[in-house]
Amino acid sequence: MDELRAAIGRYVVLPSEEALTAVTLWVAASHIQPALQHAPRLAVVGPTKGCGKSRVLDVLHETVHKPMMTVNTSSAVVFRIIGEDPPTLLVDEADTIFGPKAGDKEDLRGLLNAGHQRNRPAWRISGPEHKPTAFPTFAMAALAGIGDLPDTIMDRAVVLRMQKRKPGEKVAPFRSRHSVPELNALRDQLAAWLTPLRGTAHRLVPPMPVEDRAADTWEPLVIVADLAGGHWPAQARAACLAMTRNEVVQDEQATLKTRLLRDIRRVFEHQGDKEALRSHDLLAALIQDAEAPWAEYGTKGLNAYHLANLLRDFGISPANHRFENGRQAKAYARNQFLDAWARYCPDPAQPAPAADEAVLARRAPGKPPAPPTGTLPIGPPGGPTGPRPTR
């Protein structure tokens, strides 16, 4: 285990020591998959290209149990490969499955969600006799992509938030001629050690520092740590606590950004859905809302820098805009928000358009929103400012 951890650290720069520990344990856990009740996902995500996500998969491919690397595959292939001794799925460019251009990948998305827990088969009509057939879905999977994966995957994953290397951070070059034999030798040592211990691993019920789904996800890693002994049991539990807490913070930040989108939509509505609002006018309106958190945001309240930073992930930024009086000012255009509003905080007060409508009708300035049509408001638990449940 110590040698594996050192080898992984030579080829990739991970976001923390806890993340390096987690990857090492995840690799080892793949060698006891038949003994596990849950198959944790490894979400390797980053904000841009060049963060080392694909290199992580390269290292995993040479160290995990029965790797199956794919960029774009079909659910039919995966259904037929997974069996009693499943492969370890390694999926690069996960946006081909979960992104807006994913197309007809619903079956594969469902497989990756269901495969986190044992005994969750997918039923399909199969063969010339068209018989209902249960296909197993249980398999560990590492998924790499730009941006967060859907919540259904992130909640079932050990999350690596990759970043680009700093100028002083060095890694060993990954060369197949030298690197692959070294990593394969470690893989074989892991298999020789852990395969005979699968029965023992199946009976272990380790004390966990977390609960619920986070415990389901991290239990296989803690089991391996307890089998290894030495410093690994304490190190695994420390990594579990640190990384799950980090994801709670990420969730809170995501909830705050969704609240900001809703509040900005409300400001535009109160201003008659103008084409654009000056940055300082938008900020003033947000801060004046006594029920919103923006007056206390940061040390002195929300400012222009904070606002731009919170909206950056949605592809929204201020730009020079010429207003009716001919003056130019930094402003936020309303049409920049339309896609984010539709995705992250759909307005229940707006009725869904008919299927054959080619253009959404724009509400006239000053016209009140249509009354709800029997649907409950959409938002985080506990109302607009309620916290999301911890994992």
Side-chain angles (χ1 to χ4, degrees), residues 125-148:
I125 299 297
S126 180
E129 297 180 1
H130 302 286
K131 298 176 82 173
T133 304
F135 290 95
T137 62
F138 183 80
M140 290 178 65
L143 303 101
I146 295 175
D148 278 12

Side-chain angles (χ1 to χ4, degrees), residues 5 32 50 75 83 91 98 121 123 147 154 169 215 218 221 240 254 264 298 301 308 327 345 349 359 384:
R5 190 180 190 277
I32 57 169
S75 57
V91 184
F98 300 106
W123 286 86
M154 299 293 275
E169 291 178 325
W218 278 85
L221 280 66
C240 172
I264 290 174
R327 295 183 178 180
C345 53
V359 180

Side-chain angles (χ1 to χ4, degrees), residues 206-260:
M208 297 294 297
V210 292
E211 298 177 342
D212 302 325
R213 183 162 285 159
D216 294 339
T217 297
W218 278 85
E219 185 181 67
L221 280 66
V222 173
I223 286 174
V224 169
D226 287 353
L227 290 173
H231 61 85
W232 281 98
Q235 198 167 319
R237 288 168 173 86
C240 172
L241 277 174
M243 295 182 70
T244 52
R245 285 172 178 167
N246 183 62
E247 288 309 300
V248 169
V249 172
Q250 293 288 334
D251 281 352
E252 291 172 350
Q253 186 73 356
T255 302
L256 187 70
K257 291 177 181 178
T258 303
R259 170 66 190 265
L260 178 61

